[in-house]
Amino acid sequence: MLFRSSGADNGFATLVVVGLVYAASRTKGMDNWLSSVVPQSLGTLSYSIYLLHAVIGWRFIKLLHELNGADFTPWQAWAALVAGVSVSVFSAWIMHKLIEAPSHRFAKKISLPQRND
């Protein structure tokens, strides 16, 4: 928030998230909010999103910027952000289905010897 000219609005996003978490804790809404379908799904995909958001999402936004040929208008920037997040989440879902979930199932089949301490 201190360096507005840098184009980084991380401070504002942080304040919004902190405000939402505070409101949820004050209204006992945290259990309801976090147990709904969207947060649970994003939680399941969180590691894959973490791995792919910079590689897929930001590069997709960069591609959209290059295809646009000029600086984004504010509406185009928001649309590009939504598209980048969507591509990241979709890619994470594919990675989860093809790699992460089968790996978890395989790992559960492996039994390790018990330690005798």
Side-chain angles (χ1 to χ4, degrees), residues 42 45 49 52 56 83-95:
L42 289 175
L45 299 176
I49 291 171
L52 297 176
I56 303 285
V85 169
S86 299
V87 168
S88 293
V89 171
F90 182 69
S91 300
W93 177 77
I94 291 172
M95 183 172 164

Side-chain angles (χ1 to χ4, degrees), residues 18-29:
V18 167
L20 288 172
V21 170
Y22 179 74
S25 69
R26 296 294 293 168
T27 61
K28 308 288 189 237

Side-chain angles (χ1 to χ4, degrees), residues 7-89:
D9 292 332
N10 295 337
F12 179 72
T14 302
L15 288 177
V16 168
V17 171
V18 167
L20 288 172
V21 170
Y22 179 74
S25 69
R26 296 294 293 168
T27 61
K28 308 288 189 237
M30 194 72 83
D31 291 339
N32 293 336
W33 290 3
L34 294 179
S35 64
S36 64
V37 174
V38 173
Q40 289 294 311
S41 299
L42 289 175
T44 300
L45 299 176
S46 64
Y47 186 65
S48 296
I49 291 171
Y50 165 72
L51 292 175
L52 297 176
H53 79 279
V55 177
I56 303 285
W58 282 116
R59 288 187 180 172
F60 185 74
I61 291 171
K62 176 103 170 118
L63 173 67
L64 292 177
H65 188 264
E66 289 177 11
L67 291 175
N68 189 45
D71 284 338
F72 285 141
T73 65
W75 287 108
Q76 289 173 325
W78 279 106
L81 178 64
V82 169
V85 169
S86 299
V87 168
S88 293
V89 171

